[in-house]
Amino acid sequence: MAAELAINAHARYFKHCLTMLPAETTSLDATRMTIAQLCLVGLATLGRLEDTLPEKRRAEMVEWIYAQQIPNGRGGYGGFRGGSLFGPHDRCEYEPANSGNLAATYSALCSLLLLGDDLSRVDKQAVVGAIRSLQQESGTFAPHPGTTERDPRFIYCACAISTILGDWSGVDKDAATRYIVGCCNYDGGLTQMAFQESHGGHLYCCIAGLSLMGRLDALPSRQRTLQWALFRQSGGYQGRANKAPDVCYSFWVGASIEILGGHDLVDSSTVVHFIQQCESTIGGLSKWPGYLPDPLHAALGIVGFSFHRPEQFPHISPELLLPAS
Amino acid sequence: MRIDGCSDIEDPAPLAQQAAWQDVEPIAQDDGPSPICPIAYTDEYREMMGYLRAVMAAGEESARALALSGRVIQANPGHYTAWVYRKRLVEALASDIGAELDWVSALSAKHPKNYQLWHHREALVERLWPARAALALPEDQRLANPVLRRELQFVGSALDEDAKNFHAWSYRQWLVARYELWAQELAFVDTMISQDVRNNSAWNQRYFAVLRGRPATTQLDAALARAEVAYAVEHIQFAPNNDSPWAYVVGLLLRHAPAALHDELLPRIRALAADPGFAPAMSSTPFYWSALVDIHEQQARALPPAERAPLLDEARAICDRLATQVDITHNRYWRFRKTAVGAA
């Protein structure tokens, strides 16, 4: 049977991205940690991580990641940075110049695990302390101090980090759950904040967050939320009603459906077909058929695909975006 | 990269050659021996980042630092620390907030989907005219205030560019809720819906405008429920196979006026489905039949258990129709849904 995904081409694509990104991606400079995580989980899902990255390179990558950890971080400033663009930690009088970021910390921990590290050099106290400082009264989380951004993306990161470290002391689960329940919308979908439009990305962050906290039962109607998620399928998955399908929602919405127990209710062949249409001839996947690929759409398309081919691909945890052990 | 309207560059020469920067020792980026996903920076970006690291490390608060933060943000609007630094500089230097808002407007033309930009704007507006002061005035006077007029115009033009820009709608909700501009919002929503009846963001905003921040348990009065049903059905009539008005009206009523599902919505959609001009479109759209399942289930809930069977049987029969004819893509869901009818 012919391979359904161009595994070699995608593995080469991820290797290429890990080695060098072009100047056009400068706006990703503060999120390199997340791009790294996506490339690594993409390779892991393809079963090509160890082939593509020899042990020596993996060890060097681990060093780069740990170099982004804020040593002795306190308050909201602990954790990992999104890249090396911020400069050395020890020369800063101005604290925000070098703060951790919850998304970067989550990506760092996942990347370390994918590279075979045991997390023994993670300053767990600082990370959990940062999570605690960044939770808001409303239950949501800011990514770092000094911003009014605070939405389910960072609730998810806080929950994922707490799960990985086995330490939930930084998260007030009742408050976080309350916030997420407030994000349930009239159409059964979930979103960023009460009254905003139901959105597949925030759906994932809310559902995965609840699941990690063991609070899925807090959803007012699991059936209506599952229906909203399933109805995003029109060929591939759309992120919002009446929008074009985009391959990254194969993960955001696809994984949410897995978590909600709806795997058997999906029209697998249509999802798989759409993801295949998004494969690029130069390797990687693009958001829409025929566009240029990028690491996010490549990784999430491949993981979304793997949910429908369990006999061919390793099982990736929908809640953590890591190989399930 | 320079963006029109973001006039931070007074001297285009490299910083190392500028007299104004002679006293600063740039801090080189240390990416270590084996970096992950290194970016092939332009020389210009590499240089300005070296100087930004230096001024941030020293905690410098100056006009040149502000200008430099602006240049960096234009090249990399995801530099979240540069945004924090810029916000602090604007405050410390007592910069003209109006000018800063102009700068953000120019940036957003190039980067409309950047999160930080909208939050920076929110902080500026709150400083320029704190909500506490604004709310001391009646709504029509608040609307006449140049600060709010400018913001409504700004978000309006962002939506002209992309009527579904999630950040723009989110910002608009912040503005309307914070400054309690409820009275004008439905008219705006109606305009957006008339421009594109399939714009789900606009329908979602309608829910926002009708609820006015009240809790999910709020019950709407019968007249308002009836008016919203009429509005939704008018738009369903225009294009029956459109997710948004169906999701809106069923969702609104289920939460806030459940009796109106049977009393107001059901007769109107039944009438439309019986009308020869609309019957083919109505009977072939999954949204019509799905609404009937919701309506019958809700109706059954209002009856004593012994009397529910006919409605629930009807709902199950519709699930069969959806699974086998009208919505085959979701046939597994409709078979599952059939087994769950009447369970909750």
Side-chain angles (χ1 to χ4, degrees), chain A residues 17-23 25-30 32 35-36 39 57 60-61 64-65 81-82 84-88 91-94 96-99 101 144-151 153 184-187 191-192 194-199 202 223-224 226-227 230-233 240-243 264-267, chain B residues 27-32 34-42 45 49 53 56-59 75-81 84-85 87-88 115-116 119-120 122-123 164-166 170 173 198-201 203-204 207-208 211 213-214 242-244 247-248 250-252 254-255 290 294 297 327 329-330 332-334 336-337:
Chain A
C17 292
L18 287 166
T19 308
M20 180 67 77
L21 291 171
T25 63
T26 296
S27 60
L28 299 178
D29 201 14
R32 281 167 60 194
I35 305 302
C39 291
R57 170 70 171 139
E60 288 168 349
M61 291 167 84
W64 184 86
I65 294 171
R81 304 172 306 169
S84 56
L85 75 169
F86 303 105
R91 296 179 58 181
C92 279
E93 288 171 28
Y94 177 54
N98 250 309
S99 72
N101 173 311
H144 59 83
T147 177
T148 51
E149 275 188 273
R150 51 208 53 185
D151 62 62
R153 291 175 294 160
C184 292
N185 204 2
Y186 60 85
D187 52 9
T191 178
Q192 180 171 252
F195 297 105
Q196 294 190 21
E197 188 183 7
S198 301
H199 187 294
H202 291 295
Q223 179 253 306
R224 269 180 74 73
L226 181 57
Q227 177 171 313
L230 288 164
F231 285 19
R232 286 324 101 216
Q233 185 182 3
R240 294 183 269 164
N242 283 334
K243 291 211 78 182
D264 291 335
L265 305 180
V266 177
D267 180 358
Chain B
I27 298 177
Q29 180 165 349
D30 179 5
D31 222 353
S34 195
I36 311 182
C37 300
I39 295 172
Y41 304 130
T42 61
Y45 180 80
M49 286 294 287
R53 280 186 284 269
M56 280 177 65
N76 176 12
H79 193 320
Y80 50 88
T81 309
V84 173
Y85 186 46
K87 185 163 72 169
R88 169 175 145 166
Y115 275 92
Q116 286 93 350
H119 284 272
H120 188 73
E122 195 181 296
K164 300 185 184 184
N165 183 330
F166 190 79
S170 166
Q173 286 202 1
R198 289 180 179 79
N199 185 340
N200 194 68
S201 310
W203 282 97
N204 180 77
Y207 180 82
F208 166 76
L211 260 296
R214 288 171 293 172
N242 174 7
D243 198 338
S244 301
Y248 169 72
V250 170
L252 179 79
L254 267 175
R255 273 188 177 178
S290 174
D294 285 322
E297 268 196 314
D327 192 12
T329 307
H330 299 112
R332 292 186 206 173
Y333 173 73
W334 290 116
F336 160 74
R337 180 78 198 275

Side-chain angles (χ1 to χ4, degrees), chain B:
Chain B
M1 159 196 289
R2 290 160 181 82
I3 296 172
D4 288 339
C6 289
S7 52
D8 299 296
I9 295 91
E10 282 152 14
D11 182 346
L15 295 165
Q17 293 168 18
Q18 294 186 29
W21 286 95
Q22 283 312 301
D23 60 305
V24 175
E25 183 71 40
I27 298 177
Q29 180 165 349
D30 179 5
D31 222 353
S34 195
I36 311 182
C37 300
I39 295 172
Y41 304 130
T42 61
D43 291 340
E44 185 187 351
Y45 180 80
R46 193 188 312 274
E47 192 198 37
M48 67 171 125
M49 286 294 287
Y51 280 86
L52 184 73
R53 280 186 284 269
V55 294
M56 280 177 65
E60 179 173 317
E61 293 176 351
S62 65
R64 70 178 180 182
L66 180 69
L68 182 59
S69 76
R71 284 186 65 186
V72 166
I73 287 170
Q74 286 175 66
N76 176 12
H79 193 320
Y80 50 88
T81 309
W83 281 106
V84 173
Y85 186 46
R86 187 175 179 88
K87 185 163 72 169
R88 169 175 145 166
L89 290 170
V90 166
E91 273 175 65
L93 300 173
S95 299
D96 177 56
I97 301 181
E100 182 68 3
L101 284 168
D102 284 339
W103 184 87
V104 174
S105 297
L107 187 77
S108 80
K110 199 78 184 192
H111 300 287
K113 306 239 175 132
N114 170 271
Y115 275 92
Q116 286 93 350
L117 169 167
W118 293 95
H119 284 272
H120 188 73
R121 197 172 184 101
E122 195 181 296
L124 292 170
V125 170
E126 180 61 45
R127 268 187 63 207
L128 192 53
W129 201 26
R132 206 176 351 101
L135 293 173
L137 298 173
E139 182 169 339
D140 56 347
Q141 283 185 47
R142 292 201 292 279
L143 277 171
N145 178 283
V147 175
L148 292 188
R149 280 182 56 191
R150 174 219 219 120
E151 290 313 298
L152 288 171
Q153 189 177 38
F154 173 73
V155 71
S157 48
L159 291 173
D160 280 343
E161 275 299 307
D162 174 1
K164 300 185 184 184
N165 183 330
F166 190 79
H167 304 282
W169 283 107
S170 166
Y171 181 74
R172 194 181 174 96
Q173 286 202 1
W174 173 79
L175 204 60
V176 168
R178 187 106 179 104
Y179 291 91
E180 296 184 22
L181 305 174
W182 299 109
Q184 57 80 51
E185 194 62 3
L186 263 180
F188 178 79
V189 164
D190 191 40
T191 304
M192 295 303 287
I193 289 175
S194 351
Q195 287 173 11
D196 178 4
V197 71
R198 289 180 179 79
N199 185 340
N200 194 68
S201 310
W203 282 97
N204 180 77
Q205 194 77 350
R206 190 169 185 92
Y207 180 82
F208 166 76
V210 165
L211 260 296
R212 299 190 170 203
R214 288 171 293 172
T217 48
T218 306
Q219 294 301 292
L220 296 175
D221 71 56
L224 180 51
R226 185 177 309 123
E228 288 308 305
V229 168
Y231 185 90
V233 173
E234 181 194 324
H235 290 81
I236 284 168
Q237 184 167 317
F238 180 78
N241 194 34
N242 174 7
D243 198 338
S244 301
W246 289 102
Y248 169 72
V249 72
V250 170
L252 179 79
L253 298 183
L254 267 175
R255 273 188 177 178
H256 305 290
L261 281 163
H262 169 265
D263 298 341
E264 303 289 345
L265 182 61
L266 183 61
R268 280 182 179 74
I269 59 178
R270 278 243 162 92
L272 204 55
D275 181 324
F278 296 98
M282 286 290 278
S283 65
S284 62
T285 175
F287 307 119
Y288 168 64
W289 297 102
S290 174
L292 288 178
V293 174
D294 285 322
I295 294 170
H296 292 329
E297 268 196 314
Q298 177 54 34
Q299 228 178 312
R301 273 183 213 113
L303 295 176
E307 296 175 35
R308 289 176 186 169
L311 283 167
L312 297 180
D313 287 343
E314 178 61 24
R316 290 185 193 105
I318 296 172
C319 288
D320 277 337
R321 178 193 283 262
L322 281 157
T324 58
Q325 296 171 46
V326 184
D327 192 12
I328 297 172
T329 307
H330 299 112
N331 75 87
R332 292 186 206 173
Y333 173 73
W334 290 116
R335 290 180 214 284
F336 160 74
R337 180 78 198 275
K338 179 182 175 183
T339 66
V341 161

Side-chain angles (χ1 to χ4, degrees), chain A residues 238-269:
Chain A
Q238 63 190 186
R240 294 183 269 164
N242 283 334
K243 291 211 78 182
D246 172 331
V247 87
C248 67
Y249 295 107
S250 313
F251 180 75
W252 305 125
V253 178
S256 302
I257 291 171
E258 297 292 314
I259 294 169
L260 291 169
H263 175 86
D264 291 335
L265 305 180
V266 177
D267 180 358
S268 276
S269 60

